[in-house]
Amino acid sequence: MTCAVLADSVVAHAGSVGVLAYIPSPPRGVWYLGPLPVRAYALCIIAGIVLAIWWGEKRWQQRGGQGGAVLDVAMFAVPFGLVGGRLYHVATDWQKYFGDGGHPLNALKVWEGGLGIWGAVLLGGVGAWIGCRVYRIPLPAFGDAIAPPILLAQAVGRLGNYFNQELYGRRTDLPWGLEIYERFGTDGQLDMMNGVSTGVVERIVQPTFLYELLWNLLGVAVLIWLDRRYRIGHGRLFALYVALYTFGRFWVELLRDDEATHVFGLRINTYTSIIVFVCAIAYFLLATKGRETAAALQPGTDRPWPWQIGRLRARGAESAAPQVDSTTSGATAAATEPEPDIEESDSGNESEPGGDESASDAAESDPAKAGDSGPK
């Protein structure tokens, strides 16, 4: 009996060219706790954000920054990033919402998928800039600390696309092809996003979500190695993250076959990848080499929460006033520490303790600024 069941399973997964098995899609991407829908897509996004903040905090402190800064800035960056990601998706696929037969209110249904990473990084960067201005920490150094965690969060987020059966490629008969199932809602209507699979395979496609996920994980490893080996700072590691991601995304876009806006026969994300890649490489080549000292990453002692509007305004007015403190000028003079660049490496850096930052950098922090009366 067991052999018969196994044989039936093999036959069911056999392709037209004799392929024995493909990658199955999840039978559903939404579960219900009473009337409350629990969406795998949202859970993956949340998990990625939490992971990025946790790891970003560790990296920021290893580089000499103050604990709690990443969470503080994230309270600006995350909402901006979610709005930016949705705006980019709606702008580049506007026909789905504002074209013939479209439903404009569906543009607000972010829980059904559709967050463009380009818009998320752009507006998320604006939010991070605001947060860094508020807390008086250098944005380029902050970007270097969170670059690998962001790329890891993107890899986790791609699992949400797997549950939603989206971001797939063209039809294929490769052994690792992805099965896309027909899904139906409780009303019996076809609902590929929110329904439950009947087991009927609609098509076998390239698992481009998986390609991008693996590329992102490889990119994380490369960034960590480069950062430890060459001590990259001043926003150049963030630029490398952008360049690595867009290089891989360019090739993934050429394989995709799901709905998207095309310009001159190519998906709009393909052009975006090229433009952003060139800008990232230019910044990497032109920006200041070396890495900031730990002292340069220290903020002021008064660190209000983002919702403390009055304290934020007072801090902004204070930061706008001219600073004549001799200790401030001394810290500014030591803000940049000459370090070996990728072109001039020092093999001794490979044995540095402390993960992403050497113990000597942490020792350079001003002990007078270690205490903090504000929230952590």
Side-chain angles (χ1 to χ4, degrees), residues 10 50 83 110 167 178 205 247 274 353:
V10 170
V50 171
V83 172
V110 65
L167 267 67
L178 177 68
V205 297
F247 181 81
I274 296 172

Side-chain angles (χ1 to χ4, degrees), residues 59-66 136-138 141 231 234 291-299 331 334-337 339 357-367 369-370:
R59 283 179 50 80
W60 180 248
Q61 293 180 48
Q62 287 169 347
R63 297 168 87 90
Q66 189 176 46
R136 299 179 185 175
I137 56 179
R231 298 173 54 79
H234 299 283
R291 180 187 288 185
E292 301 88 343
T293 63
L297 308 186
Q298 298 302 311
T336 300
E337 168 189 358
E339 296 290 351
E357 181 62 46
S358 67
S360 61
D361 278 350
E364 293 178 26
S365 301
D366 187 351
K369 297 180 180 178

Side-chain angles (χ1 to χ4, degrees), residues 4-339:
V5 172
L6 179 60
D8 290 343
S9 177
V10 170
V11 171
H13 286 78
S16 59
V17 294
V19 177
L20 295 182
Y22 295 112
I23 301 174
S25 288
R28 63 194 302 170
V30 183
W31 297 264
Y32 287 88
L33 296 177
L36 179 66
V38 178
R39 301 178 183 276
Y41 181 83
L43 293 178
C44 291
I45 295 295
I46 293 172
I49 292 173
V50 171
L51 184 59
I53 293 175
W54 172 78
W55 190 20
E57 280 281 4
K58 291 178 67 68
R59 283 179 50 80
W60 180 248
Q61 293 180 48
Q62 287 169 347
R63 297 168 87 90
Q66 189 176 46
V70 172
L71 179 59
D72 290 342
V73 176
M75 298 187 71
F76 290 91
V78 171
F80 272 74
L82 292 175
V83 172
R86 188 59 177 178
L87 287 176
Y88 181 89
H89 169 76
V90 173
T92 54
D93 289 315
W94 62 271
Q95 300 94 335
K96 295 180 181 179
Y97 308 101
F98 305 104
D100 294 338
H103 300 283
L105 289 180
N106 287 346
L108 303 177
K109 297 180 179 180
V110 65
W111 56 86
E112 292 187 353
L115 290 174
I117 186 62
W118 315 109
V121 172
L122 178 60
L123 274 194
V126 172
W129 175 79
I130 295 173
C132 287
R133 291 281 294 178
V134 168
Y135 296 111
R136 299 179 185 175
I137 56 179
L139 178 62
F142 182 85
D144 291 333
I146 64 171
I150 288 178
L151 193 54
L152 180 60
Q154 289 177 225
V156 175
R158 283 293 169 244
L159 292 175
N161 302 131
Y162 173 54
F163 280 93
N164 275 3
Q165 293 193 137
E166 58 186 0
L167 267 67
Y168 51 79
R170 295 189 292 270
R171 292 179 183 270
T172 184
D173 56 6
L174 293 171
W176 55 84
L178 177 68
E179 294 179 335
I180 300 298
Y181 299 146
E182 290 184 351
R183 290 176 175 176
F184 289 86
T186 55
D187 58 358
Q189 299 297 313
L190 184 66
D191 189 347
M192 298 293 286
M193 184 71 67
N194 303 302
V196 179
S197 169
T198 61
V200 176
V201 178
E202 182 190 46
R203 67 181 77 177
I204 308 293
V205 297
Q206 293 267 12
T208 48
F209 87 91
L210 180 60
Y211 299 160
E212 186 172 328
L213 187 157
L214 295 175
W215 176 257
N216 289 350
L217 292 179
L218 177 62
V220 170
V222 170
L223 290 175
I224 292 299
W225 180 81
L226 288 174
D227 195 29
R228 289 178 176 175
R229 182 73 169 83
Y230 301 105
R231 298 173 54 79
I232 304 173
H234 299 283
R236 299 173 76 227
L237 189 70
F238 189 87
L240 281 179
Y241 143 66
V242 174
L244 279 171
Y245 175 74
T246 52
F247 181 81
R249 183 64 182 264
F250 173 83
W251 298 105
V252 168
E253 286 294 325
L254 296 180
L255 295 174
R256 285 177 57 181
D257 193 34
D258 52 337
E259 293 183 36
T261 302
H262 288 72
V263 178
F264 300 115
L266 292 177
R267 301 166 65 93
I268 193 170
N269 284 337
T270 304
Y271 294 103
T272 305
S273 297
I274 296 172
I275 295 171
V276 176
F277 174 81
V278 172
C279 292
I281 292 297
Y283 181 92
F284 176 80
L285 295 176
L286 298 176
T288 303
K289 297 178 173 58
R291 180 187 288 185
E292 301 88 343
T293 63
L297 308 186
Q298 298 302 311
T301 57
D302 179 29
R303 299 173 61 243
W305 286 102
W307 55 77
Q308 295 176 305
I309 305 300
R311 294 182 66 187
L312 289 177
R313 288 178 176 173
R315 180 165 188 158
E318 180 185 344
S319 63
Q323 301 293 326
V324 295
D325 194 316
S326 60
T327 59
T328 302
S329 60
T332 303
T336 300
E337 168 189 358
E339 296 290 351

